[in-house]
Amino acid sequence: MRRHLLWKSLRYAGSFALLLLLNFLLPRCMPGDPLVHLLGIEDFVRFPEMVAEVRARYGLDQSQAMQFALYVRNLIAGDLGYSFHFGVPVADLVTRRLAWTLVLVVPALGIGGLLAGALGAVAGWHSGAPAERWLTFGVLSLHSVPQYGLAMLALFVVAFHLDAAPLSGLSTERGLIDVLRHALLPILVLGLSSAAHLYLIMRNSVADLRPRPFVTAARGRGLSSSALLWRHVLPNALLPFLALFALGLGFSVGGALMVEVVFSWPGMGTLILSAVDNRDYPLLQGCFLLITICVLAANWLNDILAGIIDPRLRRLTP
Amino acid sequence: MGLIGVLVLLGAGLTAPWLAPFDPWAPTTAAQLQPGWPHVLGTNDLGQDLLSEMLYGLRLSLLVGLAAAGLSTAVGAVVGMVAGTRGGWVDEALMIVTDTVLLVPGLPLLIVLVAYLGAGFWNLILVIGLIWWTPTARAVRAAALQIRRMPYIEAARAIGASQTRIVRRHVLPNTVPVLAARFVIAVPEAVLTEAGLSFLGLGDPRYKSLGLTLHQAFAGGALLNGSWWWYTFPVAAITLLVCSVALLGLDEGSGRSR
């Protein structure tokens, strides 16, 4: 078990180092001098001594390796740089926005995951039945609707026509109830679209397991159908489901982007977009780093959980 | 059923210039028209015919989707093949890179890349293709590993076939089913990605695309002024396209589709 964890952690460390390098190199591969963005083209041409001074201040006159070392050192100190568009440190901005995204993602995936897991298991168990085929077809169609499309349709029907939810205008001053009122629809959309994906996974793995000999044997021992499904088949189907769930949890921090855009939700997704729009590179880098860390953390958690659920996995790794 | 859907949409997309009843760029005075005659699906805020816009958009979506899926399949095939047949530290290093790319959140990375490279038709294909190759690489590597251990490969090696020959004549042809399945899965992924990027306003603004229409509808306040046709039809078109390709690939193998 310990060896297994150690090996996995090592792989993650390697991935993380690669990602850091990527994150460091991307803006440096950009055509053009970053100082042009910072100072404006006019000052950049007219005051070469100022350019040199700012370049030295940001450490951009040093070698690439030196700069990378500096970047890592600042990261460890929790310094992600300074957003020149918002005028605040990137670290502050990013963590605040992350909290808003989590308000959406955690309940959405929690509800969606439970619903999809239960429904998917039952559907897989009865795969081939007419009701199951219609359900799966419906879910597949739902899965094909792009998230932002679903969000727009939901807004159109629920907020515009039924007038049951606000169109926009979230404000923290009006308290928790107001936040909930605004969060309901985006949570619903996110939950539905992630549930569709998870449902298909669960259904397929349960349907795969159903004809296996161990199921037939258990049936032969006289176990009831429901005991068979929930006690014997489900634990085996849980592994891929859990892996995708963890992946989804990590991805959705960035993947909620579309829903956030449609609902004007002040989360990570809208932050990234505004960083792109304003060419705010420190902010962009910070967002990207944080999202990547979320994905890595979710995967790491999944590996640990998978090892606990399935003891066989601990022996598979070299 | 999936096949029929794919064929119809493919046909509609390819023959867009002949099928479209109006020039999708030509603005008319009939702005924000409800679906009716002669504008079957209505018009947008500039009075451009929505049906024609969507037909041209479908063509672009399909083009980008097919090209990007092809690129990602090719890259994945090469990486997976090299990793699977070479083994050793090459394999280990390639798999760490693959895992890393697989772990990177796709959409944010795409946005960052498009922001850096600039939006454009070819950049879109390149970027989408270079993001989605990882599942293919893993699948091909697994297949190559399996094939490499088969007795007939050993026999080929025994009669003195070179490594290149074994890979080209024996291993590669046997991974074709895997590649085909991955390609079928990659097309809707690429289509969705292109539509998503265009929806965010990061697509190529010179071409009509389904995502661009949605972007304009969203930015143009279609939700607020009740022009329901402006976004419901493009959403339906994307859904139909993705769903029919998914149905086509349903029994071809399951994979990550997002």
Side-chain angles (χ1 to χ4, degrees):
Chain A
M1 184 69 184
R2 184 164 299 163
R3 240 180 103 88
H4 166 72
L5 280 184
L6 197 70
W7 171 250
K8 283 283 184 189
S9 306
L10 214 67
R11 290 277 304 243
Y12 281 122
S15 287
F16 189 62
L18 261 180
L19 284 169
L20 268 187
L21 195 65
L22 184 78
N23 208 6
F24 169 81
L25 284 177
L26 258 180
R28 283 166 178 78
C29 295
M30 278 281 297
D33 195 314
L35 293 181
V36 176
H37 290 292
L38 202 63
L39 298 173
I41 185 75
E42 235 174 79
D43 285 357
F44 184 78
V45 179
R46 272 171 50 202
F47 307 111
E49 63 281 359
M50 189 168 103
V51 172
E53 190 226 300
V54 175
R55 199 184 293 279
R57 184 163 15 122
Y58 285 96
L60 290 172
D61 52 349
Q62 319 221 357
S63 72
Q64 294 284 331
M66 217 22 226
Q67 284 187 39
F68 186 63
L70 211 68
Y71 171 71
V72 173
R73 206 192 67 195
N74 284 344
L75 264 187
I76 292 168
D79 181 8
L80 293 178
Y82 197 78
S83 154
F84 37 83
H85 179 69
F86 287 94
V88 286
V90 169
D92 290 358
L93 194 62
V94 161
T95 42
R96 204 168 52 225
R97 293 298 194 99
L98 180 67
W100 277 111
T101 295
L102 289 179
V103 167
L104 288 190
V105 165
V106 171
L109 267 173
I111 299 167
L114 276 178
L115 192 75
L119 260 181
V122 174
W125 193 244
H126 298 285
S127 66
E132 184 274 334
R133 295 179 71 144
W134 281 109
L135 183 65
T136 302
F137 180 73
V139 173
L140 195 65
S141 321
L142 186 68
H143 185 53
S144 306
V145 185
Q147 233 174 29
Y148 48 93
L150 202 63
M152 282 168 92
L153 293 182
L155 257 186
F156 169 63
V157 174
V158 181
F160 188 73
H161 269 265
L162 302 177
D163 217 11
L167 274 169
S168 62
L170 174 76
S171 152
T172 39
E173 280 115 59
R174 267 173 278 159
L176 195 66
I177 303 293
D178 193 57
V179 172
L180 275 181
R181 234 161 51 88
H182 283 92
L184 201 64
L185 212 50
I187 289 176
L188 195 75
V189 169
L190 258 181
L192 266 181
S193 66
S194 51
H197 183 62
L198 291 170
Y199 166 90
L200 292 173
I201 303 296
M202 191 48 136
R203 180 204 163 269
N204 286 349
S205 36
V206 169
D208 258 7
L209 287 169
R210 199 165 54 129
R212 295 279 177 89
F214 82 93
V215 178
T216 317
R219 203 193 297 275
R221 294 202 329 258
L223 262 69
S224 74
S225 185
S226 67
L228 208 59
L229 172 58
W230 302 112
R231 295 281 303 280
H232 293 262
V233 175
L234 195 67
N236 283 296
L238 214 53
L239 215 53
F241 181 78
L242 207 70
L244 272 147
F245 185 76
L247 259 180
L249 195 67
F251 274 121
S252 60
V253 172
L257 196 150
M258 293 292 187
V259 175
E260 284 178 10
V261 168
V262 175
F263 289 100
S264 325
W265 189 262
M268 285 298 292
T270 38
L271 189 66
I272 298 180
L273 268 188
S274 70
V276 169
D277 282 345
N278 301 308
R279 305 268 146 184
D280 195 337
Y281 294 115
L283 182 58
L284 198 54
Q285 257 185 326
C287 289
F288 193 65
L289 186 73
L290 192 70
I291 290 175
T292 320
I293 292 176
C294 285
V295 176
L296 278 176
N299 273 279
W300 193 58
L301 191 74
N302 166 55
D303 276 337
I304 295 176
L305 280 180
I308 292 170
I309 290 180
D310 191 346
R312 284 172 303 179
L313 277 180
R314 292 175 214 155
R315 273 182 270 124
L316 279 178
T317 36
Chain B
M1 200 165 105
L3 188 66
I4 299 170
V6 170
L7 285 180
V8 167
L9 289 169
L10 202 64
L14 290 179
T15 54
W18 296 279
L19 268 185
F22 293 92
D23 179 353
W25 281 276
T28 61
T29 48
Q32 306 276 33
L33 227 54
Q34 294 231 9
W37 195 257
H39 299 283
V40 180
L41 296 184
T43 58
N44 66 8
D45 57 342
L46 296 175
Q48 293 163 334
D49 182 59
L50 192 59
L51 177 63
S52 316
E53 260 198 317
M54 279 173 53
L55 284 169
Y56 275 84
L58 198 63
R59 184 169 69 152
L60 185 90
S61 290
L62 282 166
L63 269 180
V64 173
L66 288 172
L71 180 65
S72 73
T73 311
V75 174
V78 171
V79 173
M81 193 58 78
V82 171
T85 49
R86 275 292 166 90
W89 68 270
V90 178
D91 180 26
E92 200 59 50
L94 279 176
M95 278 305 111
I96 287 182
V97 173
T98 309
D99 281 353
T100 308
V101 181
L102 194 68
L103 280 178
V104 179
L107 191 62
L109 179 62
L110 278 168
I111 292 173
V112 172
L113 281 177
V114 171
Y116 285 145
L117 291 172
F121 179 71
W122 294 108
N123 279 348
L124 274 182
I125 293 176
L126 190 73
V127 167
I128 298 172
L130 289 183
I131 294 286
W132 290 126
W133 57 269
T134 44
T136 314
R138 298 194 125 237
V140 170
R141 171 177 173 269
L145 279 180
Q146 209 175 19
I147 295 161
R148 206 170 57 133
R149 275 198 294 266
M150 294 213 179
Y152 80 94
I153 297 293
E154 211 172 310
R157 192 166 294 142
I159 33 174
S162 69
Q163 176 81 8
T164 351
R165 187 184 156 83
I166 290 176
V167 170
R168 272 189 36 214
R169 291 296 300 276
H170 300 291
V171 185
L172 197 60
N174 277 306
T175 56
V176 166
V178 178
L179 285 177
R182 276 304 316 171
F183 180 75
V184 171
I185 297 170
V187 172
E189 269 173 7
V191 167
L192 272 179
T193 312
E194 186 275 328
L197 283 175
S198 303
F199 170 70
L200 292 174
L202 295 169
D204 192 330
R206 289 170 300 165
Y207 298 97
K208 294 279 177 197
S209 97
L210 292 170
L212 182 68
T213 306
L214 279 171
H215 171 69
Q216 287 165 345
F218 187 64
L223 275 170
L224 293 176
N225 60 30
S227 320
W228 54 270
W229 59 92
W230 198 0
Y231 49 91
T232 37
F233 290 129
V235 168
I238 296 174
T239 307
L240 209 63
L241 181 61
V242 173
C243 196
S244 35
V245 182
L247 281 175
L248 189 69
L250 195 60
D251 42 19
E252 294 259 11
S254 57
R256 210 169 60 93
S257 52
R258 184 167 273 233

